[in-house]
Each structure stands twice: as structure tokens, then as C-alpha cells.
Amino acid sequence: MKNQLRIIGGQWKRRQLPFASVEGLRPTPDRVRETLFNWLMWDIQNAAVLDVCTGSGALGFEALSRGAASVLMIEPEALQAKILKQNIQLLEAKNCDLKVATAQQVLPKLNQQFDVIFLDPPYSLDLWTELAILLDPLARENAYIYVEADRELTQLQLPNTWQLLKSSKAGTVRAGLYQKKL
């Protein structure tokens, strides 16, 4: 049985999309997503977006629905990647690209920069610091980096060029919006 996620706003508002039942896969809760996209309201339009640990695709599809110019998704799990490809086709999202590999394999090979980056790795893998180091060169100056974790954001070792602008807590989810300052 596939699970469903709901797009909250934009052109695909209220659209339901399936995602796989994969261990550790947990879409960003609606309330947290709503807060995030309220924070990014004026900055998501025409943004080049990198969704580092895509999972269900909730953040990437929400960004596209709200006017992002492009989204690059990274998802290593084969079954979920297949469902993401089907969702991209279903939505006719020609400005969405999917890399089926780990973030550690993809990030060093990218040679473009992004305006908005979503960093929401599987909590149990504790990848925040490792991935932040790899993706930092891909963040333009003043880029927004959204970080989601199951622990206090201060416990994550993130680049010192990332300045925390806003944060929220919903249940066990800690969310932070950072901006890269050189």
C-alpha cells in the first residue's frame, strides 16, 4: 500500500501524490511545510532548488507548485525513485530532474549553484554535517538552506557561513532556515 502526501499551495494545491513505504521515509509534516513556504514565500519564485535527500518529494514538489524555476531531486532508494519519476511525469514537471544515487555520490559532481536547498536527511543516518560540507559550495551567496532534524539545530555542525534566520519546532521536528553569508 502506497502512502499519500498532499501539496499545500501553488498550482498543484490539494493534489495528492503517492510515496513508497520505505523505512526512515517520513514526509515533512504539512504544518512544518506550510511554515517553511511562508518563510520562503517571496524567494521560491524562479529559484533553482536542490532537494538533497528527496524521499517522498514533498519539499521539491511543493517548491515547483509554488513557482520554482527548477528542482533537482536526489533519492537513492530505487522503489521511491521510481515513484518520484512517475509523479514527475504525472505533474508534467519538465523543470524537475531526479538523480538516483546517494547525495554523497551526486553532490561532488554538480557544477551549478542553487538559490534554495533542502537538507532533510534520514534522521538515523546522522548526515547533516557531512552533507552540509558537500553542498555548501553549491549554495549561492545569500542562498536559503532549509534544515530539518530530530534534535536541536545547535547540535548540528553546519558551516559557519550559514546564518540562522528562522526556526520552528513541531513535535519532534526541528526546522531551521539559514542563509549563506560569505
Side-chain angles (χ1 to χ4, degrees), residues 59-140:
L59 295 176
F61 289 126
E62 192 76 44
L64 286 169
S65 183
R66 293 171 184 249
S70 64
V71 172
L72 175 59
M73 297 179 166
I74 303 172
E75 175 54 48
E77 211 288 317
L79 175 60
Q80 182 52 31
K82 181 180 172 194
I83 294 172
L84 287 169
K85 284 179 189 169
Q86 291 168 352
N87 287 338
I88 291 166
Q89 289 174 336
L90 178 76
L91 297 170
E92 298 177 7
K94 293 172 180 39
N95 51 348
C96 186
D97 191 21
L98 172 65
K99 303 276 187 214
V100 184
T102 66
Q104 294 92 324
Q105 293 166 323
V106 174
L107 294 174
K109 296 177 185 166
L110 293 178
N111 59 1
Q112 66 192 99
Q113 287 201 305
F114 297 90
D115 305 301
V116 176
I117 298 172
F118 301 132
L119 178 58
D120 177 17
Y123 296 163
S124 63
L125 299 181
D126 197 12
L127 295 171
W128 293 278
T129 302
E130 178 184 353
L131 296 180
I133 291 165
L134 289 173
L135 70 79
D136 186 57
L138 305 174
R140 293 187 206 284

Side-chain angles (χ1 to χ4, degrees), residues 5-9 12 17 26-37 40 44 49-66 68 70-73 84 96 116-121 145-148 175:
L5 69 90
R6 181 176 58 89
I7 295 177
I8 298 170
W12 300 319
L17 295 175
R26 34 140 205 89
T28 298
D30 286 6
R31 197 169 103 211
V32 176
R33 251 186 304 144
E34 198 159 349
T35 299
L36 167 62
F37 284 94
L40 291 173
I44 201 69
V49 177
L50 174 61
D51 192 353
V52 179
C53 299
T54 299
S56 69
L59 295 176
F61 289 126
E62 192 76 44
L64 286 169
S65 183
R66 293 171 184 249
S70 64
V71 172
L72 175 59
M73 297 179 166
L84 287 169
C96 186
V116 176
I117 298 172
F118 301 132
L119 178 58
D120 177 17
I145 303 108
Y146 169 75
V147 178
E148 190 175 307

